[in-house]
Amino acid sequence: MTQTEEKFLEYLKRKNHFEQMLGLVIWDARTGAPAGGVTQRAEIMETLSSELYEMTTSGDLKDLIDELKKEQEQSEILSRAIEEAEKAYNQNTKIPVDDYLAFVKLQTNAEVKWEEAKEKNDFEIFKPYLQEIVAFKKRFVQYLGYEQHPYNTLLDQYEPGVFTDTLDTVFATIKEHLIPLIQKVIHASDQPDTSFLFKSFPKEKQEELSKSFLNTMGYNFNKGRLDESVHPFAIGINPSDVRVTTKYNEQDFRVALLGTIHEGGHALYEQNISEELIPYGLASGTSMGIHESQSLFWEKFIGQSYPFWEAMYADLTTFAPAQFKHVSLQDFYFGLNEAKPSMIRIEADELTYCLHIILRYELEKGLFEGSIEVEDLPKLWNEKMEEYLGIVPSNDGEGVLQDVHWSSGDFGYFPSYALGFIYAAQINEVLKQEFPNFEELVRTKQLEPIRVWLTERIHQYGAVKKPKDLIESITGGGIDPTPLIQYLTEKYTKLYRL
Amino acid sequence: MTQTEEKFLEYLKRKNHFEQMLGLVIWDARTGAPAGGVTQRAEIMETLSSELYEMTTSGDLKDLIDELKKEQEQSEILSRAIEEAEKAYNQNTKIPVDDYLAFVKLQTNAEVKWEEAKEKNDFEIFKPYLQEIVAFKKRFVQYLGYEQHPYNTLLDQYEPGVFTDTLDTVFATIKEHLIPLIQKVIHASDQPDTSFLFKSFPKEKQEELSKSFLNTMGYNFNKGRLDESVHPFAIGINPSDVRVTTKYNEQDFRVALLGTIHEGGHALYEQNISEELIPYGLASGTSMGIHESQSLFWEKFIGQSYPFWEAMYADLTTFAPAQFKHVSLQDFYFGLNEAKPSMIRIEADELTYCLHIILRYELEKGLFEGSIEVEDLPKLWNEKMEEYLGIVPSNDGEGVLQDVHWSSGDFGYFPSYALGFIYAAQINEVLKQEFPNFEELVRTKQLEPIRVWLTERIHQYGAVKKPKDLIESITGGGIDPTPLIQYLTEKYTKLYRL
């Protein structure tokens, strides 16, 4: 190892340790840290963030990177680490510090105003802040530069290598197939009885259930723990310490059940990243979309599948026997997979979910290319809801104001949710080809071969392989919505007897 | 504020934030962090510790301190902060880094060997390591310098301002009075029935009980939380975030009950330190002994007192009605306060506890003045146990090897435990003078005026007032064992009808 490499690894180690600490502070804040400690906690996070900012933007680091780039024969891992360091350096130094600080301040104020606006169902309260946020973000895109479309620079933060032209094609295909399918489902004569979903299911039983599902999935409790939080999440502090939280709703056990499986999918990814990547700061998911593919694969393609419930339904009923007494497996499966258009994205079912995302993508892209103004958003939102899902929000609270993302300027994030679902379907298709007995494995609770396959093809690489290369290495091709459309069409045609 | 002051406050803030993070990592590690994450966690702690070491020993800090000392008109708080920074700087820089690192390595090995030795009841296994530890510590004392007695330098780490001459006098008085009192208690014809203590008390009930006791004491759950850990502890991350842990033994409810009250006493101290001291890094207890005075005041002078159980016994019995069915309040009180010599310090009752400490103090002092060699410790230990408590350990595991402290070189620490009890008794005496209705307050669960008094006289000052000044401001005098001796004599004469 050269001296420069050693210095660079020192830098990466320190940075990684600070990130791990920040992870712990965030986990702690969301899982029962004293409410009264919030101010001090914010200060701690500010110190950690500003130390990280200093590290990633220092002239010494720049010199290191430049020297390393001159050296020969680097491993794939080291050169990815250099590439990531350079990307962060460029992004953090191209934006003037004063602009950046002003933006951070605006974010805080904007989030407060967004909350108020949402509560009062009044977009006008939020509008001037959102206008400022968009103006800042447009300026940042100018500082950072862009290829072909300004929105590509925003996409690059979450899903490197995916551009608007791809998304335009992919999303058009999805709309073409799903909009009519949803209409058929709405008008199907066969609709599920869902009343059994909403009976009282004691929290302690749900907690046992959540732990048992995590165990079945192959989540390693020696390298993790399960807690409760307002919004469920998974956090990989490092691959040996990957924590999951869930939320218990005693009137709707699906919240914990599917939430735990979803976060468990994220956690399996983080737990199975090769520990050799820790020193290179690459022991994390490679992109938002790939991460979401792992959570959605487990939630949708396993957790909401018929073979899975063939295996688990008897177990479930032991946790709350009265609730499922007169519900057949077939009726349970139909009820659990009920699909119908609704206003709120985070409550949407798998059939309608992508259209919520596509709507947001089209609005965001329009904002950044200048074809849409902030003030037009509520009207356009409602028009698209009607066009895609056949329903219109009765107010801005359940419409354009429903998501927190824009208040912190997180444009370019939403597409990852849909990409995750598309990737998951592509991965699911390959898995079924490579395991002709896939359904049999699920039906008999033998999920370990599936987890191992995911680890070998995806998890272990952490952030070394980029999302595009990873998908190509698995499928032999690029982003393709066909498997998702096929999966949804087949599943819902059968379920609703269309 | 001068520019130098501003820089100094910047330094203190950063240092405090790093200490808070270290506190959180420690709390997390002890309250359910994944076992598999231990290696990464150790690395994080090493990074934090070494950053703290660098900060506290930097030449820039030294320059700042020197400049600040030249400036006029400093507040008491600022000058205490400067004093503390200088003390830490001197201590950390006087010991050569190589020596320090070699010692840290030795500590780790010595602790492993101590564990092995304790398990096998074989002092010989630990002896060579302890000899090395003592040799290192003696050299450190030489580096740091000392006044009058080398052990004073060690005492200064935990109880600044308290020296061997004071301890010699104080401990001699305690021995003179307590050794004969203990013998009387042993031979008293009236002995308590303690069988009711060891009946099964469900963990969930103990948890409720612990929370209810913390509430009664005035612990603020908005600025804290209660968790479970192997060894109970309290940790003040900052005054708005002071966490307590306890341990549940279903066959002995006293462990959680008294443990929670004890840690609650520490926590009340930390929660009620003035937040104004945070920027100066002085929002912590002023010494080990003063801290222990707060935990012991609540545990012994409140939690083991008759008036307290007059108030609480009815409550307690509702948590486990069967257990206390035929136990009168008087019998409960007697059983809870049973006193009899035992081998293990941490299991000792309040009557015999100080003698365990005095024994250790005498051995430690002898080691550092050169009158005792490491190899003589087992023999001397057993002789002193016989002299002070009338019992002799049957092996080194329950004798000289019982405490972890020496394996990490924590000499000078033990006296703080006894000092804490002495201080607590002195504080208790003043409290009873200032509140003639003290017992009535306790009997009627009105503990808030007592908590407020402790905050006004002690808590709020954090580390601003030094232990000696603090005790003088409360009692008008110095360390005095008389109140403790009086308290124990009166209590146990009455309890055992001597």
Side-chain angles (χ1 to χ4, degrees), chain B residues 8 72-84 277 280 282 461-466 469-470 473:
Chain B
F8 184 59
Q72 305 284 315
E73 285 185 74
Q74 276 146 358
S75 68
E76 187 193 0
I77 296 174
L78 181 60
S79 60
R80 275 290 291 135
I82 298 167
E83 188 184 353
E84 286 297 314
L277 301 180
Y280 297 91
L282 297 168
Y461 298 112
V464 175
K465 289 199 185 183
K466 293 185 189 178
D469 301 335
L470 198 64
S473 77

Side-chain angles (χ1 to χ4, degrees), chain A residues 13-14 16-18 20-21 24-25 27-28 31-38 40-41 43-44 46-48 51 221-225 227 237-243 275 278, chain B residues 13-14 16-18 20-21 24-25 27-28 31-38 40-41 43-44 46-48 51 221-225 227 237-243 275 278:
Chain A
K13 185 178 167 183
R14 183 161 179 262
N16 178 250
H17 285 179
F18 275 68
Q20 289 198 36
M21 282 185 267
L24 181 64
V25 177
W27 172 84
D28 182 64
T31 54
V38 65
Q40 276 297 309
R41 213 143 45 231
E43 281 198 29
I44 299 293
E46 200 187 308
T47 293
L48 278 169
E51 300 253 343
F221 273 96
N222 186 49
K223 305 202 287 177
R225 54 183 284 173
D227 293 87
I237 295 173
N238 62 64
S240 314
D241 190 346
V242 181
R243 306 178 183 198
E275 299 216 348
I278 298 176
Chain B
K13 185 178 168 185
R14 183 161 179 261
N16 178 251
H17 285 179
F18 275 68
Q20 289 198 37
M21 282 185 265
L24 181 63
V25 177
W27 172 84
D28 181 65
T31 54
V38 64
Q40 276 297 308
R41 213 141 48 231
E43 281 199 29
I44 298 294
E46 202 189 305
T47 293
L48 279 169
E51 300 253 342
F221 274 96
N222 187 47
K223 304 202 287 179
R225 53 182 285 171
D227 293 87
I237 295 173
N238 62 65
S240 314
D241 189 347
V242 181
R243 305 177 184 198
E275 299 217 348
I278 298 177

Side-chain angles (χ1 to χ4, degrees), chain A residues 76 268-269 272-274 286 290 293-294 423 426-435 448-477:
Chain A
E76 187 193 0
L268 285 185
Y269 190 178
N272 294 297
I273 293 171
S274 166
T286 191
I290 297 293
S293 79
Q294 296 309 292
Y423 294 152
Q426 291 186 266
I427 291 164
N428 181 58
E429 194 179 51
V430 177
L431 252 166
K432 288 194 166 178
Q433 283 157 10
E434 301 204 8
F435 289 100
E448 187 60 7
I450 297 169
R451 205 274 304 151
V452 169
W453 187 93
L454 292 168
T455 292
E456 281 170 4
R457 299 295 184 92
I458 301 167
H459 303 164
Q460 62 164 323
Y461 299 112
V464 176
K465 288 197 186 183
K466 293 187 190 176
K468 228 178 145 180
D469 301 335
L470 198 64
I471 288 300
E472 204 186 314
S473 76
I474 298 167
T475 65

Side-chain angles (χ1 to χ4, degrees), chain A residues 69-314:
Chain A
K69 283 169 74 183
K70 283 182 222 150
E71 289 181 4
Q72 305 286 314
E73 285 185 73
Q74 277 145 358
S75 67
E76 187 193 0
I77 296 175
L78 180 60
S79 61
R80 274 291 291 135
I82 298 168
E83 188 184 352
E84 285 297 314
E86 188 169 27
K87 186 176 170 183
Y89 177 85
N90 286 337
Q91 289 195 342
N92 290 338
T93 52
K94 279 184 179 169
I95 296 170
V97 178
D98 287 349
D99 258 27
Y100 178 72
L101 293 177
F103 179 66
V104 170
K105 206 172 160 187
L106 173 62
Q107 279 178 316
T108 312
N109 295 330
E111 194 170 326
V112 173
K113 286 294 167 182
W114 164 75
E115 263 178 33
E116 191 192 329
K118 188 181 172 185
E119 215 182 283
K120 296 184 179 161
N121 295 320
D122 184 358
F123 183 72
E124 290 301 310
I125 295 172
F126 182 46
K127 195 175 79 179
Y129 294 87
L130 186 56
Q131 283 168 329
E132 255 198 276
I133 292 255
V134 171
F136 260 107
K137 277 282 177 174
K138 282 186 175 177
R139 202 151 64 239
F140 289 180
V141 170
Q142 294 302 325
Y143 290 137
L144 297 169
Y146 65 87
E147 282 173 46
Q148 288 162 346
H149 195 291
Y151 192 70
N152 284 339
T153 296
L154 301 170
L155 281 173
D156 186 60
Q157 319 270 331
Y158 308 101
E159 210 58 25
V162 175
F163 302 110
T164 51
D165 52 359
T166 305
L167 289 182
D168 288 340
T169 317
V170 165
F171 287 168
T173 313
I174 288 180
K175 284 201 287 188
E176 187 195 327
H177 289 85
L178 292 195
I179 294 174
L181 179 59
I182 291 166
Q183 288 307 313
K184 277 194 218 161
V185 163
I186 295 172
H187 297 104
S189 57
D190 222 7
Q191 294 289 336
D193 174 11
T194 57
S195 57
F196 70 90
L197 297 172
F198 309 107
K199 293 191 178 152
S200 177
F201 197 134
K203 187 180 144 177
E204 305 77 51
K205 290 288 168 190
Q206 292 195 41
E207 194 179 335
E208 274 181 63
L209 183 66
S210 297
K211 285 187 180 162
S212 125
F213 273 79
L214 285 172
N215 273 320
T216 305
M217 290 169 71
Y219 175 79
N220 182 350
F221 273 96
N222 186 49
K223 305 202 287 177
R225 54 183 284 173
L226 175 68
D227 293 87
E228 198 180 344
S229 63
V230 179
H231 303 289
F233 66 98
I235 188 165
I237 295 173
N238 62 64
S240 314
D241 190 346
V242 181
R243 306 178 183 198
V244 174
T245 74
T246 193
K247 177 176 156 176
Y248 303 106
N249 179 339
E250 293 205 321
Q251 298 310 315
D252 187 352
F253 70 93
R254 290 175 306 172
V255 175
L257 181 79
L258 299 176
T260 303
I261 298 177
H262 182 95
E263 301 308 332
H266 282 303
L268 285 185
Y269 190 178
E270 297 275 336
Q271 278 192 337
N272 294 297
I273 293 171
S274 166
E275 299 216 348
E276 285 170 36
L277 301 180
I278 298 176
Y280 297 90
L282 297 169
S284 64
T286 191
S287 76
M288 278 296 307
I290 297 293
H291 231 307
E292 200 66 12
S293 79
Q294 296 309 292
S295 53
L296 289 173
F297 172 76
W298 285 97
E299 182 191 348
K300 307 299 187 194
F301 295 90
I302 302 284
Q304 286 187 234
S305 75
Y306 193 73
F308 183 71
W309 288 106
E310 284 185 280
M312 306 299 286
Y313 189 52

